[in-house]
Amino acid sequence: MTNLELTVHRGKAKPILISLYVYIVWSLVTYLLEGRIHLLQRIDVLGRFEYVVIANMVIGTVLAIWLLRYYHISSGFISPKQLGFQSVNRRFWAVVGIASVIGFILFIFQGPVSLNPIVISNVFVQTLPTSIAEVVVCWVVIGASFESLLLASGKGVISSYYFE
């Protein structure tokens, strides 16, 4: 391999390394703020707030999407449509409504401990940012990194089959 080929190869791998760093940092912060101290097994409002904001909103969502935009969308490797970011339309709201109704029905059939609206909203506020961060970090950022590497190397296209 020549020096030029090695430099180009390293440039293609950089988004993957940065995506893996984001995953490692997000996992480590999640462990330190939640797992190590068993945060969700005790009542600690400030601790839960720190965990949701720092680990999930700042690192798992904002930082991850910023890196995604910086390394993938701005470089032209992957379009926002290929990543699943599309305009909000009637179909989007229909799917959100149907998923909400089905989710609430499943929640009721599981026999929740409490139907108090404060308890339900508390669970929702803690679960939604965590789920968003998991999807963004584990699926979107890592997946886009590997897809951009495959696209750049000419080995194949993964998601264009689904979005064309």
Side-chain angles (χ1 to χ4, degrees):
M1 205 180 266
T2 67
N3 286 341
L4 180 60
E5 289 174 330
L6 190 58
T7 304
V8 170
H9 183 65
R10 283 185 187 150
K12 291 177 186 176
K14 188 174 183 179
I16 290 179
L17 292 175
I18 290 174
S19 298
L20 292 174
Y21 292 149
V22 169
Y23 174 77
I24 290 168
V25 167
W26 174 70
S27 297
L28 182 64
V29 171
T30 296
Y31 172 72
L32 292 174
L33 293 176
E34 188 260 320
R36 179 182 59 85
I37 58 175
H38 303 291
L39 178 68
L40 301 180
Q41 296 176 4
R42 55 192 175 93
I43 299 173
D44 182 2
V45 176
L46 184 60
R48 289 181 184 202
F49 181 77
E50 290 171 343
Y51 163 65
V52 167
V53 170
I54 294 170
N56 296 310
M57 292 178 156
V58 173
I59 295 172
T61 304
V62 174
L63 176 66
I65 289 176
W66 179 80
L67 286 171
L68 184 73
R69 180 179 171 93
Y70 182 74
Y71 281 105
H72 300 298
I73 296 172
S74 65
S75 67
F77 282 127
I78 296 177
S79 70
K81 188 175 180 182
Q82 284 176 302
L83 292 171
F85 298 121
Q86 299 179 17
S87 62
V88 176
N89 55 26
R90 296 175 108 195
R91 190 174 89 188
F92 169 82
W93 290 113
V95 169
V96 167
I98 292 169
S100 299
V101 169
I102 291 172
F104 188 72
I105 290 170
L106 290 173
F107 172 73
I108 296 299
F109 279 130
Q110 289 179 355
V113 176
S114 173
L115 291 176
N116 183 341
I118 300 296
V119 173
I120 293 172
S121 63
N122 184 25
V123 169
F124 182 76
V125 167
Q126 290 179 44
T127 312
L128 183 65
T130 304
S131 298
I132 291 170
E134 289 171 356
V135 168
V136 169
V137 171
C138 298
W139 292 102
V140 178
V141 174
I142 301 284
S145 298
F146 282 96
E147 184 169 1
S148 67
L149 181 66
L150 288 174
L151 288 172
S153 66
K155 298 290 184 191
V157 179
I158 296 172
S159 67
S160 67
Y161 296 114
Y162 302 109
F163 294 107
E164 288 184 11

